[in-house]
Amino acid sequence: MVEFYSSNDGIPLNGYNGLWRPYPVEYKRGKAKLEDCDRLQLCAQAVCLEEMLCVRIETGALFYGEPRRREVVKFTAELRDKLKAIVEDMHKLYEQKYTPKAVKREGCRSCSLKDLCLPKLGAANETSVLEYLEMHLK
Ligand code: SF4
């Protein structure tokens, strides 16, 4: 979701008076994670909004369903650099036409991408093609 707050250094919004500053909010079911993955996702959303709307976005929020609280995320230079490195890696993989295997983990069960990412397929796919064919032919 994107909230817009009235701000003198914001952007005009069609149908609304004044200037508005976008504030991205990402909703998650569970609890905050130790690693930065959710913060990086939110930062990527903010960078997309910055490019679309020609505005700098300094903060956003993650809302976690279990504590039912928002965590404010600052889009620091460090977080942006980490995001840039990940996006560069993604572009390299795309250019190489290489899709890395999903690594199945605890969070996959509640992940909204599990039907696209198919982490179970990677985990179950430990038999060779030959073994698989032999197993089914028998
Ligand atoms: S389903 Fe895929 S995208 Fe989702 S947590 Fe598992 S590996 Fe990551």
Side-chain angles (χ1 to χ4, degrees):
M1 186 172 76
V2 183
E3 297 174 352
F4 287 88
Y5 289 91
S6 176
S7 167
N8 289 337
D9 59 354
I11 50 158
L13 272 187
N14 193 17
Y16 293 87
N17 291 326
L19 296 174
W20 303 86
R21 181 158 286 277
Y23 187 83
V25 184
E26 172 69 21
Y27 284 78
K28 299 285 182 199
R29 276 190 229 163
K31 299 178 200 151
K33 301 176 185 82
L34 287 178
E35 63 267 34
D36 267 341
C37 51
D38 292 346
R39 285 178 279 279
L40 285 161
Q41 181 190 9
L42 186 70
C43 187
Q45 291 164 345
V47 169
C48 292
L49 286 166
E50 286 179 339
E51 291 183 9
M52 285 167 65
L53 303 172
C54 299
V55 66
R56 180 83 174 171
I57 303 173
E58 302 297 342
T59 53
L62 292 163
F63 177 88
Y64 287 102
E66 285 192 25
R68 302 194 61 76
R69 292 269 183 281
R70 277 187 178 190
E71 174 192 317
V72 174
V73 178
K74 285 188 182 163
F75 305 128
T76 60
E78 189 191 5
L79 192 64
R80 286 171 188 266
D81 286 348
K82 201 169 172 183
L83 174 69
K84 189 168 178 265
I86 291 169
V87 170
E88 281 170 356
D89 283 349
M90 285 171 60
H91 276 276
K92 274 187 213 143
L93 292 171
Y94 182 76
E95 279 160 21
Q96 293 164 0
K97 309 263 183 262
Y98 174 69
T99 307
K101 265 190 194 171
V103 180
K104 194 168 171 250
R105 58 200 180 112
E106 188 60 31
C108 293
R109 274 186 294 141
S110 55
C111 176
S112 58
L113 294 175
K114 67 175 184 283
D115 293 333
L116 291 171
C117 175
L118 303 173
K120 269 189 199 166
L121 199 64
N125 199 10
E126 282 163 5
T127 42
S128 70
V129 174
L130 188 61
E131 285 168 339
Y132 176 87
L133 289 173
E134 279 176 353
M135 194 170 70
H136 283 273
L137 287 171
K138 278 180 194 166

